Amino acid sequence: MSKAYSSHTEKIDVEYVAHLARIKLNEEERERFQAQLEEILGYVDQLKTLNVEGVDPMAHPFPIQNVFREDKTCPSLDHEVAMKNAPQKRNGHFMVPKIVE
Amino acid sequence: MNYKVTIGLETHVQLKTNTKVWCSCANVYGHPPNTDICLICLGYPGSLPVLNKEAVRLTVMTGLMLGCNINTYSKFDRKSYFYPDMPKNYQISQYDKPFCEGGGVEIDVDGDRKRVSLTRIHLEEDVGKNIHHESASLIDFNRAGTPLMEIVTEPDMESADEVFAYLLALKQILTYGAVSDCNLEQGNIRCDVNCSVRPADQKELGTKTEIKNMNTFKGVYRALKHEIQRQIDVVEKGGVIHQEARRWDDLAGVTTAMRPKEYAHDYRYLPDPDLMSVVLSDEQVSKWREALPELPAARRSRLVAEYNIPEYDAKVLAADKAIADYYEEAARLSDHPKVVSNWIMTEVLRALSEHDRGIQQIKISPQYLVDLVKLVDDKTINMPSAKEVFNQMFETGENPSTIVEHKGLVQVSDTDAIDALIVQVLEEHPQSVGDYRNGKKNAAQFLVGQVMRLSKGKANPQIAMEAIQKKLNS
Ligand SMILES: [Zn+2]
């Protein structure tokens, strides 16, 4: 794969990013993602060189605003249906490994 | 050494809507676990949240009541973290464009008035509820997606008392605006408390700690009293305060450090692409502004002005909107609004708290309370009888005149009848008569009591007192 964009100047901490996403990477993946992520950041660097003076930042590509719902209840899922995918359940609850704060 | 204390609060308030903030599941407390949930509040891939308009109105109304600036442009962002009570692994909140900024809450601590400034108010979603067991944790997602308003103060408060006053004032305003039920037992209001201390002559703030997830005002007060002293003790001993989250143990009366989370606070906010931004027109905001209810401070002044009652009474009555409403209904019907206020502040509030009821459940109509006041005023019954009548009215909601008639409580003001009783009492209690004549004037009280007893509580105590004094002094 040819490099389309110049590499990012700062080295990205792939280990940290993987931790935030709660995924485990092996050595080969770490190296592969290191290169790919740096390439992505390089592209962002390239975007940063564009002159965007007078352009408002936008949170959304669509020019749509004020999408509301009226405050009226609709039936929720059947309890049994809602719990169907739960790997473990007890007394109507989803059961997970003990959470330590 | 003298220390200065700096406290800021983040208060989470559940909004009183019919439905959740992104889906049409019911927003109610107390249903069986996991019965008010759907694909959206369970965070299923492909499901799309749609903003509840009422949640926006209530958040903006709160901002208007608290004097905030309302942002015409707001948006929603994802706050990423992993916790089992958050099925999407991010919470939808507002990062840089909340609905409201600035504003403040007026507080009064023993006559010292001040304004606690607000930083912002934003709208987000509540998370599910965890129940921790020995070997596992159970999760109920009914609460997930409940509209939650976060009200953030500036670090403006300097004592536990100020914080307590702030929370009470805030709760009053939110209740007046019908924004939230503000039911603490049901977790409608929860707060995180940031607190630091520094030597009085030091300019820069000390390191702060954060006491997480407090759900009673009394708990906040006690936790702060403890945490402030703990920090001072650490500093006195030359120690260092660590910036950390702490937990309040109500039974032990101490705060303890929570296990520091690895990589804490890397929430990686990003605009939520599933939700469109909100643009509020000036017309919309002014319409809501015009619909603002009368707030507690205005109510207090008006009660003083309209019914000529002391500030103290106005403060007690206006503390609860429903009580103030009840009072006004009665006061308008009475020639003695101050006496009505006395009855509500003493007997009504006492009886309600003894029976653990709210004013909404009271059986005594405002008209009957006024009738009772009138029966005392025109001396048909005396005060002890009135209290007896009141207690029965509280149980049954009956007309006070009917009770007076049934119980035969009409006061005896006939001096001849009272004189006859006095003669009997003086004969039976020569000791007290002697005491009185030897200067123990309060022996007369005892003798009046005996007259009341003989009359089965029906004698007019003033007339009895005057007659006894007249007899003994002659
Ligand atoms: Zn739902």
Side-chain angles (χ1 to χ4, degrees):
Chain A
M1 201 174 92
S2 66
K3 256 191 183 174
Y5 307 104
S6 64
S7 194
H8 189 65
T9 37
E10 253 176 90
K11 230 173 142 47
I12 185 160
D13 189 344
V14 170
E15 197 66 45
Y16 176 62
V17 175
H19 173 82
L20 287 175
R22 301 295 188 275
I23 48 178
K24 230 178 225 145
L25 301 179
N26 62 33
E27 189 60 36
E28 187 270 324
E29 286 167 328
R30 248 197 320 270
E31 273 169 31
R32 183 150 46 99
F33 292 142
Q34 180 82 38
Q36 289 180 353
L37 284 172
E38 277 171 15
E39 207 169 305
I40 291 167
L41 289 181
Y43 175 54
V44 173
D45 273 348
Q46 193 180 336
L47 289 177
K48 279 185 184 163
T49 61
L50 286 173
N51 183 3
V52 289
E53 226 182 88
V55 180
D56 283 334
M58 59 182 193
H60 212 285
F62 300 134
I64 305 170
Q65 289 149 345
N66 298 349
V67 178
F68 296 121
R69 180 173 55 74
E70 291 304 319
D71 189 24
K72 289 205 180 77
T73 46
C74 289
S76 297
L77 280 180
D78 243 24
H79 176 69
E80 281 68 35
V81 174
M83 304 299 290
K84 216 172 160 186
N85 285 344
Q88 282 185 291
K89 48 200 149 191
R90 188 192 287 169
N91 304 333
H93 292 81
F94 292 89
M95 189 158 91
V96 298
K98 189 177 163 81
I99 305 163
V100 203
E101 275 181 344
Chain B
M1 198 190 290
N2 271 328
Y3 288 88
K4 274 191 177 156
V5 178
T6 306
I7 307 162
L9 248 63
E10 290 161 22
T11 310
H12 293 93
V13 180
Q14 289 181 334
L15 296 175
K16 189 182 181 169
T17 53
N18 297 321
T19 65
K20 295 187 179 183
V21 63
W22 320 121
C23 63
S24 303
C25 289
N27 171 21
V28 275
Y29 177 86
H31 278 180
N34 296 307
T35 51
D36 297 318
I37 53 176
C38 70
L39 299 179
I40 295 170
C41 52
L42 287 175
Y44 269 66
S47 64
L48 278 177
V50 184
L51 179 57
N52 181 344
K53 195 173 186 181
E54 180 66 0
V56 177
R57 186 184 73 87
L58 294 176
T59 307
V60 173
M61 286 282 279
T62 305
L64 291 170
M65 290 193 292
L66 299 176
C68 306
N69 297 313
I70 308 303
N71 284 332
T72 45
Y73 174 86
S74 330
K75 69 176 177 70
F76 291 94
D77 302 272
R78 295 180 175 182
K79 178 181 178 180
S80 307
Y81 64 87
F82 287 87
Y83 207 71
D85 59 13
M86 234 345 308
K88 297 191 292 290
N89 292 334
Y90 60 83
Q91 179 189 27
I92 304 176
S93 180
Q94 297 189 292
Y95 181 56
D96 57 342
K97 297 286 178 190
F99 283 116
C100 319
E101 290 180 86
V105 175
E106 302 288 336
I107 61 167
D108 182 333
V109 179
D110 301 328
D112 281 339
R113 287 179 193 198
K114 89 181 235 185
R115 186 168 188 268
V116 176
S117 301
L118 299 180
T119 314
R120 55 186 272 155
I121 304 176
H122 67 253
L123 178 61
E124 58 187 31
E125 59 181 326
D126 208 343
V127 297
K129 211 180 263 174
N130 308 311
I131 305 161
H132 302 297
H133 283 269
E134 209 44 57
S135 57
S137 294
L138 304 183
I139 305 173
D140 173 8
F141 284 112
N142 281 353
R143 195 178 70 179
T146 297
L148 197 66
M149 183 170 66
E150 180 170 333
I151 304 173
V152 184
T153 75
E154 292 288 305
D156 251 7
M157 287 165 279
E158 293 171 307
S159 68
D161 292 278
E162 286 189 4
V163 172
F164 194 72
Y166 164 79
L167 286 169
L168 283 182
L170 182 66
K171 182 183 167 201
Q172 267 182 30
I173 293 170
L174 296 173
T175 312
Y176 268 65
V179 163
S180 169
D181 284 331
C182 295
N183 187 326
L184 288 135
E185 284 80 35
Q186 298 183 0
N188 290 162
I189 305 183
R190 283 129 45 202
C191 51
D192 299 333
V193 184
N194 289 289
C195 166
S196 70
V197 303
R198 67 180 197 276
D201 56 1
Q202 181 184 312
K203 243 194 146 124
E204 65 273 21
L205 296 180
T207 306
K208 68 179 177 186
T209 62
E210 184 179 24
I211 313 170
K212 297 290 253 183
N213 220 358
M214 302 294 306
N215 51 20
T216 69
F217 294 176
K218 199 88 212 148
V220 170
Y221 183 83
R222 290 180 59 219
L224 267 172
K225 282 273 180 192
H226 169 270
E227 178 62 12
I228 290 165
Q229 194 54 53
R230 186 193 70 84
Q231 291 192 11
I232 290 174
D233 290 346
V234 170
V235 177
E236 293 266 283
K237 287 183 192 130
V240 179
I241 306 286
H242 299 285
Q243 180 155 358
E244 63 192 359
R246 298 182 71 84
R247 181 191 300 108
W248 169 244
D249 182 336
D250 203 61
L251 280 179
V254 294
T255 64
T256 50
M258 290 164 81
R259 213 170 64 134
K261 278 193 205 123
E262 248 183 308
Y263 306 115
H265 300 306
D266 199 344
Y267 292 133
R268 293 156 293 143
Y269 283 98
L270 75 144
D272 193 316
D274 287 344
L275 287 157
M276 303 299 157
S277 44
V278 176
V279 176
L280 296 170
S281 68
D282 290 343
E283 288 141 83
Q284 179 63 84
V285 175
S286 353
K287 234 163 111 189
W288 284 337
R289 195 188 298 276
E290 277 158 31
L292 281 183
E294 183 182 40
L295 295 183
R299 185 90 186 245
R300 286 195 291 272
S301 323
R302 192 169 58 75
L303 288 179
V304 169
E306 253 175 60
Y307 304 102
N308 199 23
I309 55 173
E311 291 240 7
Y312 174 80
D313 293 42
K315 202 173 155 185
V316 174
L317 297 168
D320 183 335
K321 181 175 181 291
I323 298 225
D325 290 345
Y326 183 85
Y327 169 70
E328 279 206 72
E329 233 185 297
R332 276 192 217 110
L333 299 168
S334 174
D335 300 328
H336 307 284
K338 169 59 184 154
V339 183
V340 173
S341 159
N342 291 346
W343 272 93
I344 292 180
M345 291 197 301
T346 54
E347 296 306 309
V348 172
L349 292 183
R350 173 194 58 76
L352 288 175
S353 109
E354 275 176 18
H355 293 79
D356 200 20
R357 277 184 215 161
I359 188 87
Q360 290 85 351
Q361 289 121 310
I362 196 166
K363 290 182 179 161
I364 304 174
S365 71
Q367 178 65 61
Y368 283 174
L369 184 70
V370 168
D371 290 348
L372 177 64
V373 167
K374 192 154 184 301
L375 288 172
V376 180
D377 184 57
D378 64 18
K379 301 198 166 51
T380 306
I381 54 174
N382 61 31
M383 216 32 203
S385 301
K387 288 191 178 163
E388 193 183 329
V389 173
F390 174 86
N391 287 335
Q392 180 154 346
M393 288 167 75
F394 191 83
E395 292 300 329
T396 63
E398 278 171 281
N399 183 330
S401 306
T402 315
I403 300 172
V404 167
E405 212 172 290
H406 276 187
K407 294 198 161 195
L409 292 172
V410 174
Q411 176 165 253
V412 177
S413 296
D414 170 7
T415 40
D416 288 343
I418 291 176
D419 276 344
L421 297 175
I422 290 174
V423 170
Q424 189 186 338
V425 166
L426 296 188
E427 265 176 29
E428 284 171 7
H429 300 280
Q431 171 84 47
S432 300
V433 173
D435 286 350
Y436 183 89
R437 293 207 163 113
N438 289 329
K440 280 193 185 160
K441 296 294 177 200
N442 54 11
Q445 276 305 342
F446 170 78
L447 294 167
V448 171
Q450 295 311 305
V451 171
M452 297 304 292
R453 192 176 60 80
L454 278 183
S455 74
K456 298 199 173 59
K458 289 188 280 184
N460 179 323
Q462 278 92 28
I463 293 179
M465 176 58 99
E466 279 160 27
I468 285 173
Q469 285 171 336
K470 206 168 142 200
K471 275 215 162 61
L472 296 181
N473 290 337
S474 63

